[in-house]
Amino acid sequence: QVTLVESGGGLVQPGGSLRLSCEASGLIFSIYPMGWYRQAPGKEREWVTTITSGGATSYADSVKGRFTISRDNVKATVYLQMNNLNPEDTADYYCHAADRYGVNYWGKGTLVTVSS
């Protein structure tokens, strides 16, 4: 029932910017904390950023100052603005939500490739 659909991934040169979107359906979006995770080739999935239902944000040290998460409760969409990208940011990026019962929901992912 709960569906998360990411979009906006693609190829970008080092130093470039990209904005990812995640459209949610099947849930009361406004009360859910939302987040982004990523998985680079040969590595485990790692947490990138979270935004609470109240709008408070937190970031992994590796992206702090470069990435910005935001949400639009009317559109039921969470965004990830990525600036000053470097090759180490190359990964599949996944949208995430967790309900009050501890059930986790994931999107299928969108690929971000940073390369010259």
Side-chain angles (χ1 to χ4, degrees):
Q1 295 294 327
V2 176
T3 302
L4 306 176
V5 181
E6 304 98 333
S7 63
L11 175 65
V12 63
Q13 292 187 324
S17 298
L18 209 60
R19 188 178 76 158
L20 306 182
S21 298
C22 171
E23 184 176 357
S25 61
L27 76 170
I28 307 175
F29 180 82
S30 62
I31 67 173
Y32 277 76
M34 301 294 297
W36 290 93
Y37 289 69
R38 67 185 183 185
Q39 186 168 18
K43 300 178 65 177
E44 293 187 340
R45 188 172 300 184
E46 65 175 351
W47 171 76
V48 176
T49 180
T50 297
I51 184 167
T52 70
S53 60
T57 60
S58 58
Y59 300 90
D61 288 341
S62 59
V63 306
K64 192 173 300 182
R66 299 187 298 120
F67 290 12
T68 303
I69 187 172
S70 61
R71 66 191 299 159
D72 185 332
N73 288 340
V74 175
K75 296 182 178 179
T77 301
V78 61
Y79 304 94
L80 182 64
Q81 178 66 46
M82 305 182 293
N83 298 325
N84 194 25
L85 288 162
N86 59 65
E88 288 68 47
D89 296 315
T90 296
D92 284 309
Y93 283 73
Y94 297 89
C95 186
H96 170 261
D99 68 16
R100 59 183 174 175
Y101 304 106
V103 178
N104 295 284
Y105 302 98
W106 299 92
K108 293 182 179 179
T110 184
L111 178 62
V112 173
T113 302
V114 185
S115 179
S116 59

PDB file of all heavy atoms in Angstrom, residues 24-40:
ATOM      1  N   ALA A  24       5.456  10.184  -2.165  1.00  0.00           N
ATOM      2  CA  ALA A  24       4.898   9.143  -1.315  1.00  0.00           C
ATOM      3  C   ALA A  24       3.393   9.028  -1.509  1.00  0.00           C
ATOM      4  O   ALA A  24       2.699  10.016  -1.750  1.00  0.00           O
ATOM      5  CB  ALA A  24       5.203   9.428   0.151  1.00  0.00           C
ATOM      6  N   SER A  25       2.892   7.818  -1.365  1.00  0.00           N
ATOM      7  CA  SER A  25       1.460   7.574  -1.428  1.00  0.00           C
ATOM      8  C   SER A  25       1.114   6.420  -0.498  1.00  0.00           C
ATOM      9  O   SER A  25       1.971   5.612  -0.142  1.00  0.00           O
ATOM     10  CB  SER A  25       1.005   7.264  -2.857  1.00  0.00           C
ATOM     11  OG  SER A  25       1.642   6.098  -3.355  1.00  0.00           O
ATOM     12  N   GLY A  26      -0.147   6.350  -0.084  1.00  0.00           N
ATOM     13  CA  GLY A  26      -0.594   5.275   0.777  1.00  0.00           C
ATOM     14  C   GLY A  26      -0.287   5.469   2.247  1.00  0.00           C
ATOM     15  O   GLY A  26      -0.392   4.516   3.032  1.00  0.00           O
ATOM     16  N   LEU A  27       0.085   6.670   2.640  1.00  0.00           N
ATOM     17  CA  LEU A  27       0.382   6.972   4.031  1.00  0.00           C
ATOM     18  C   LEU A  27      -0.010   8.408   4.340  1.00  0.00           C
ATOM     19  O   LEU A  27      -0.149   9.228   3.431  1.00  0.00           O
ATOM     20  CB  LEU A  27       1.856   6.733   4.353  1.00  0.00           C
ATOM     21  CG  LEU A  27       2.890   7.764   3.868  1.00  0.00           C
ATOM     22  CD1 LEU A  27       4.243   7.473   4.501  1.00  0.00           C
ATOM     23  CD2 LEU A  27       3.008   7.790   2.358  1.00  0.00           C
ATOM     24  N   ILE A  28      -0.183   8.684   5.638  1.00  0.00           N
ATOM     25  CA  ILE A  28      -0.428  10.064   6.055  1.00  0.00           C
ATOM     26  C   ILE A  28       0.929  10.735   6.108  1.00  0.00           C
ATOM     27  O   ILE A  28       1.613  10.734   7.127  1.00  0.00           O
ATOM     28  CB  ILE A  28      -1.152  10.118   7.407  1.00  0.00           C
ATOM     29  CG1 ILE A  28      -2.425   9.263   7.374  1.00  0.00           C
ATOM     30  CG2 ILE A  28      -1.496  11.558   7.764  1.00  0.00           C
ATOM     31  CD1 ILE A  28      -3.133   9.167   8.707  1.00  0.00           C
ATOM     32  N   PHE A  29       1.318  11.315   5.000  1.00  0.00           N
ATOM     33  CA  PHE A  29       2.676  11.781   4.799  1.00  0.00           C
ATOM     34  C   PHE A  29       3.133  12.774   5.866  1.00  0.00           C
ATOM     35  O   PHE A  29       4.284  12.715   6.323  1.00  0.00           O
ATOM     36  CB  PHE A  29       2.798  12.404   3.408  1.00  0.00           C
ATOM     37  CG  PHE A  29       4.168  12.921   3.088  1.00  0.00           C
ATOM     38  CD1 PHE A  29       5.158  12.058   2.650  1.00  0.00           C
ATOM     39  CD2 PHE A  29       4.466  14.266   3.234  1.00  0.00           C
ATOM     40  CE1 PHE A  29       6.422  12.522   2.362  1.00  0.00           C
ATOM     41  CE2 PHE A  29       5.724  14.749   2.938  1.00  0.00           C
ATOM     42  CZ  PHE A  29       6.707  13.869   2.501  1.00  0.00           C
ATOM     43  N   SER A  30       2.265  13.671   6.257  1.00  0.00           N
ATOM     44  CA  SER A  30       2.661  14.774   7.131  1.00  0.00           C
ATOM     45  C   SER A  30       3.155  14.336   8.504  1.00  0.00           C
ATOM     46  O   SER A  30       3.859  15.093   9.176  1.00  0.00           O
ATOM     47  CB  SER A  30       1.513  15.769   7.293  1.00  0.00           C
ATOM     48  OG  SER A  30       0.394  15.157   7.904  1.00  0.00           O
ATOM     49  N   ILE A  31       2.820  13.134   8.955  1.00  0.00           N
ATOM     50  CA  ILE A  31       3.224  12.677  10.273  1.00  0.00           C
ATOM     51  C   ILE A  31       4.436  11.742  10.234  1.00  0.00           C
ATOM     52  O   ILE A  31       4.911  11.298  11.283  1.00  0.00           O
ATOM     53  CB  ILE A  31       2.073  11.971  11.019  1.00  0.00           C
ATOM     54  CG1 ILE A  31       1.702  10.654  10.342  1.00  0.00           C
ATOM     55  CG2 ILE A  31       0.865  12.890  11.113  1.00  0.00           C
ATOM     56  CD1 ILE A  31       0.697   9.835  11.131  1.00  0.00           C
ATOM     57  N   TYR A  32       4.939  11.448   9.050  1.00  0.00           N
ATOM     58  CA  TYR A  32       6.051  10.519   8.912  1.00  0.00           C
ATOM     59  C   TYR A  32       7.395  11.227   8.850  1.00  0.00           C
ATOM     60  O   TYR A  32       7.569  12.152   8.051  1.00  0.00           O
ATOM     61  CB  TYR A  32       5.911   9.700   7.627  1.00  0.00           C
ATOM     62  CG  TYR A  32       5.020   8.495   7.730  1.00  0.00           C
ATOM     63  CD1 TYR A  32       3.641   8.624   7.749  1.00  0.00           C
ATOM     64  CD2 TYR A  32       5.574   7.215   7.775  1.00  0.00           C
ATOM     65  CE1 TYR A  32       2.826   7.507   7.832  1.00  0.00           C
ATOM     66  CE2 TYR A  32       4.761   6.102   7.850  1.00  0.00           C
ATOM     67  CZ  TYR A  32       3.390   6.251   7.878  1.00  0.00           C
ATOM     68  OH  TYR A  32       2.588   5.136   7.944  1.00  0.00           O
ATOM     69  N   PRO A  33       8.354  10.788   9.659  1.00  0.00           N
ATOM     70  CA  PRO A  33       9.729  11.192   9.387  1.00  0.00           C
ATOM     71  C   PRO A  33      10.157  10.573   8.056  1.00  0.00           C
ATOM     72  O   PRO A  33       9.813   9.428   7.771  1.00  0.00           O
ATOM     73  CB  PRO A  33      10.530  10.586  10.542  1.00  0.00           C
ATOM     74  CG  PRO A  33       9.514  10.295  11.601  1.00  0.00           C
ATOM     75  CD  PRO A  33       8.256   9.948  10.858  1.00  0.00           C
ATOM     76  N   MET A  34      10.875  11.325   7.259  1.00  0.00           N
ATOM     77  CA  MET A  34      11.328  10.850   5.965  1.00  0.00           C
ATOM     78  C   MET A  34      12.844  10.961   5.882  1.00  0.00           C
ATOM     79  O   MET A  34      13.452  11.806   6.537  1.00  0.00           O
ATOM     80  CB  MET A  34      10.694  11.659   4.832  1.00  0.00           C
ATOM     81  CG  MET A  34       9.175  11.629   4.802  1.00  0.00           C
ATOM     82  SD  MET A  34       8.509   9.986   4.428  1.00  0.00           S
ATOM     83  CE  MET A  34       9.151   9.724   2.775  1.00  0.00           C
ATOM     84  N   GLY A  35      13.433  10.119   5.062  1.00  0.00           N
ATOM     85  CA  GLY A  35      14.877  10.162   4.957  1.00  0.00           C
ATOM     86  C   GLY A  35      15.392   9.667   3.628  1.00  0.00           C
ATOM     87  O   GLY A  35      14.641   9.156   2.791  1.00  0.00           O
ATOM     88  N   TRP A  36      16.676   9.859   3.445  1.00  0.00           N
ATOM     89  CA  TRP A  36      17.393   9.363   2.283  1.00  0.00           C
ATOM     90  C   TRP A  36      18.560   8.503   2.735  1.00  0.00           C
ATOM     91  O   TRP A  36      19.279   8.862   3.676  1.00  0.00           O
ATOM     92  CB  TRP A  36      17.926  10.507   1.418  1.00  0.00           C
ATOM     93  CG  TRP A  36      16.869  11.274   0.694  1.00  0.00           C
ATOM     94  CD1 TRP A  36      16.238  12.407   1.114  1.00  0.00           C
ATOM     95  CD2 TRP A  36      16.328  10.965  -0.601  1.00  0.00           C
ATOM     96  NE1 TRP A  36      15.331  12.830   0.173  1.00  0.00           N
ATOM     97  CE2 TRP A  36      15.373  11.959  -0.892  1.00  0.00           C
ATOM     98  CE3 TRP A  36      16.564   9.959  -1.530  1.00  0.00           C
ATOM     99  CZ2 TRP A  36      14.640  11.968  -2.088  1.00  0.00           C
ATOM    100  CZ3 TRP A  36      15.841   9.960  -2.712  1.00  0.00           C
ATOM    101  CH2 TRP A  36      14.896  10.955  -2.981  1.00  0.00           C
ATOM    102  N   TYR A  37      18.737   7.385   2.066  1.00  0.00           N
ATOM    103  CA  TYR A  37      19.880   6.507   2.244  1.00  0.00           C
ATOM    104  C   TYR A  37      20.553   6.334   0.893  1.00  0.00           C
ATOM    105  O   TYR A  37      19.959   6.636  -0.140  1.00  0.00           O
ATOM    106  CB  TYR A  37      19.459   5.138   2.780  1.00  0.00           C
ATOM    107  CG  TYR A  37      18.997   5.139   4.217  1.00  0.00           C
ATOM    108  CD1 TYR A  37      17.803   5.743   4.591  1.00  0.00           C
ATOM    109  CD2 TYR A  37      19.755   4.515   5.207  1.00  0.00           C
ATOM    110  CE1 TYR A  37      17.376   5.733   5.909  1.00  0.00           C
ATOM    111  CE2 TYR A  37      19.337   4.495   6.525  1.00  0.00           C
ATOM    112  CZ  TYR A  37      18.148   5.101   6.867  1.00  0.00           C
ATOM    113  OH  TYR A  37      17.733   5.083   8.177  1.00  0.00           O
ATOM    114  N   ARG A  38      21.776   5.840   0.898  1.00  0.00           N
ATOM    115  CA  ARG A  38      22.450   5.573  -0.358  1.00  0.00           C
ATOM    116  C   ARG A  38      23.316   4.331  -0.231  1.00  0.00           C
ATOM    117  O   ARG A  38      23.748   3.969   0.856  1.00  0.00           O
ATOM    118  CB  ARG A  38      23.303   6.765  -0.805  1.00  0.00           C
ATOM    119  CG  ARG A  38      24.504   7.064   0.084  1.00  0.00           C
ATOM    120  CD  ARG A  38      25.198   8.330  -0.387  1.00  0.00           C
ATOM    121  NE  ARG A  38      26.387   8.624   0.395  1.00  0.00           N
ATOM    122  CZ  ARG A  38      27.123   9.714   0.246  1.00  0.00           C
ATOM    123  NH1 ARG A  38      26.798  10.621  -0.668  1.00  0.00           N
ATOM    124  NH2 ARG A  38      28.197   9.894   1.003  1.00  0.00           N
ATOM    125  N   GLN A  39      23.553   3.697  -1.348  1.00  0.00           N
ATOM    126  CA  GLN A  39      24.389   2.512  -1.389  1.00  0.00           C
ATOM    127  C   GLN A  39      25.329   2.613  -2.578  1.00  0.00           C
ATOM    128  O   GLN A  39      24.896   2.584  -3.724  1.00  0.00           O
ATOM    129  CB  GLN A  39      23.548   1.234  -1.479  1.00  0.00           C
ATOM    130  CG  GLN A  39      24.365  -0.043  -1.370  1.00  0.00           C
ATOM    131  CD  GLN A  39      23.499  -1.269  -1.169  1.00  0.00           C
ATOM    132  OE1 GLN A  39      22.290  -1.244  -1.432  1.00  0.00           O
ATOM    133  NE2 GLN A  39      24.087  -2.342  -0.692  1.00  0.00           N
ATOM    134  N   ALA A  40      26.601   2.745  -2.282  1.00  0.00           N
ATOM    135  CA  ALA A  40      27.623   2.824  -3.310  1.00  0.00           C
ATOM    136  C   ALA A  40      28.039   1.418  -3.726  1.00  0.00           C
ATOM    137  O   ALA A  40      27.842   0.452  -2.973  1.00  0.00           O
ATOM    138  CB  ALA A  40      28.830   3.603  -2.800  1.00  0.00           C
TER     139      ALA A  40
END
